[in-house]
Amino acid sequence: MINYKSRDEIKRMRHAGHIVALVHKKMKEVIEPGISTRELDSIAEKIIRENRAVPTFLGYNGFPGCICTSINEQVVHGIPSENIILKEGDIISVDVGATYGGMVGDSAWTHPVGKISGDVAKLMKVTEEALFAGISKMRAGNILDDISGAIEDVANREKYGIVRQYGGHGVGHQMHEDPFLFNYRVGDKLPLKKNMVIAIEPMLNLGGDEVVVASDEWTVSTKDGKPSAHFEHTVLCTEDEPMIMTQLME
Ligand code: MG
Ligand code: MG
């Protein structure tokens, strides 16, 4: 069932999204060689709670962190740890969820740690481009597959792998609501309508599509060990331009 959001729900989601964006802004400042992913988690938790929100991920199906921190070949759902220290040349995807007034904002960003190689920098740039290509299709009158196709076309252009088992999703009262959004065409003709909110989140790999889940039952990595990038925004469908909810409010 699709939950269309009321004016008041949209207002609270926008606030949740602002808090998520505050966390990402801080992450950009503090990510550098030598910091542990547990420290990043603590910084994120502090910002979320100071803004009277709740870290959505903490305890979600038992997840032990406030953010997901996925490094290099890790795609999503990496668990923050004091033993995981960022190194020069790594990339790290930070996925953040905040619940404010009962409504969720969900956004992920991949950051470089110091200086990174050219092919990995390009992977990041193209994955971000795929996100915005998807967002541009979040318009009333389009169908869900238009978003999937826009992401797929960008990935195919560069011959990047597309993660098949994970994708975007409706978001609102819950982090994961209907519909599920594939990052490649599946022929889903669901009409996009005003007041739908979807978290659009391409995960692209420098190598093949395939991923494996680690023995911690959370961390998803590429099977071939090649790097993966992940960018996500929570996006509202309006009568006009799509509205990115997980950005800073002026
Ligand atoms: Mg997310
Ligand atoms: Mg998400």
Side-chain angles (χ1 to χ4, degrees):
M1 191 191 74
I2 312 283
N3 290 318
Y4 297 92
K5 272 65 182 184
S6 69
R7 209 187 164 88
D8 177 62
E9 288 168 336
I10 289 167
K11 218 171 140 183
R12 282 181 279 148
M13 286 192 81
R14 186 67 188 86
H15 202 103
H18 171 72
I19 297 165
V20 168
L22 285 175
V23 174
H24 282 302
K25 184 167 176 263
K26 189 69 181 176
M27 291 294 117
K28 199 174 173 194
E29 290 166 22
V30 299
I31 284 174
E32 59 177 10
I35 195 164
S36 76
T37 53
R38 174 55 69 195
E39 284 173 87
L40 296 177
D41 189 84
S42 302
I43 293 165
E45 177 167 22
K46 189 158 175 277
I47 294 170
I48 292 169
R49 295 201 192 276
E50 274 174 1
N51 284 280
R52 290 173 293 129
V54 175
T56 315
F57 300 174
L58 186 63
Y60 185 88
N61 291 333
F63 189 77
C66 296
I67 57 175
C68 298
T69 49
S70 309
I71 298 171
N72 299 335
E73 76 284 0
Q74 297 174 354
V75 180
V76 284
H77 305 164
I79 300 172
S81 162
E82 60 266 29
N83 299 321
I84 301 173
I85 313 287
L86 299 184
K87 308 187 303 296
E88 180 88 20
D90 285 342
I91 57 169
I92 177 171
S93 155
V94 179
D95 199 344
V96 181
T99 307
Y100 177 85
M103 304 303 289
V104 177
D106 182 13
S107 168
W109 219 252
T110 302
H111 300 272
V113 182
K115 207 169 159 36
I116 60 171
S117 72
D119 55 348
V120 176
K122 186 179 171 195
L123 171 71
M124 286 175 51
K125 191 163 162 272
V126 170
T127 308
E128 186 177 349
E129 180 192 342
L131 168 63
F132 283 94
I135 291 172
S136 75
K137 300 295 180 186
M138 183 68 173
R139 287 177 170 273
N142 284 351
I143 57 171
L144 193 65
D145 220 41
D146 292 330
I147 303 175
S148 304
I151 293 168
E152 182 179 21
D153 288 345
V154 173
N156 285 350
R157 187 190 74 208
E158 305 296 339
K159 300 191 169 53
Y160 287 153
I162 302 174
V163 175
R164 306 269 149 178
Q165 293 90 333
Y166 302 88
H169 49 90
V171 53
H173 290 279
Q174 307 292 329
M175 179 161 53
H176 294 123
E177 298 184 351
D178 288 340
F180 183 80
L181 170 67
F182 289 89
N183 286 320
Y184 55 96
R185 286 180 187 82
V186 291
D188 193 325
K189 295 192 170 40
L190 178 80
L192 301 179
K193 291 184 186 166
K194 186 185 167 188
N195 297 338
M196 273 175 77
V197 181
I198 297 179
I200 301 174
E201 50 179 316
M203 290 151 247
L204 302 186
N205 305 336
L206 206 50
D209 298 342
E210 284 188 77
V211 295
V212 288
V213 181
S215 57
D216 64 15
E217 295 181 353
W218 281 107
T219 313
V220 178
S221 298
T222 56
K223 197 172 177 187
D224 58 18
K226 298 212 172 140
S228 183
H230 177 212
F231 288 82
E232 174 183 34
H233 269 311
T234 295
V235 186
L236 171 70
C237 186
T238 73
E239 272 168 350
D240 190 25
E241 295 292 316
M243 184 215 204
I244 298 173
M245 306 185 97
T246 36
Q247 60 187 355
L248 295 175
M249 290 193 282
E250 284 91 51

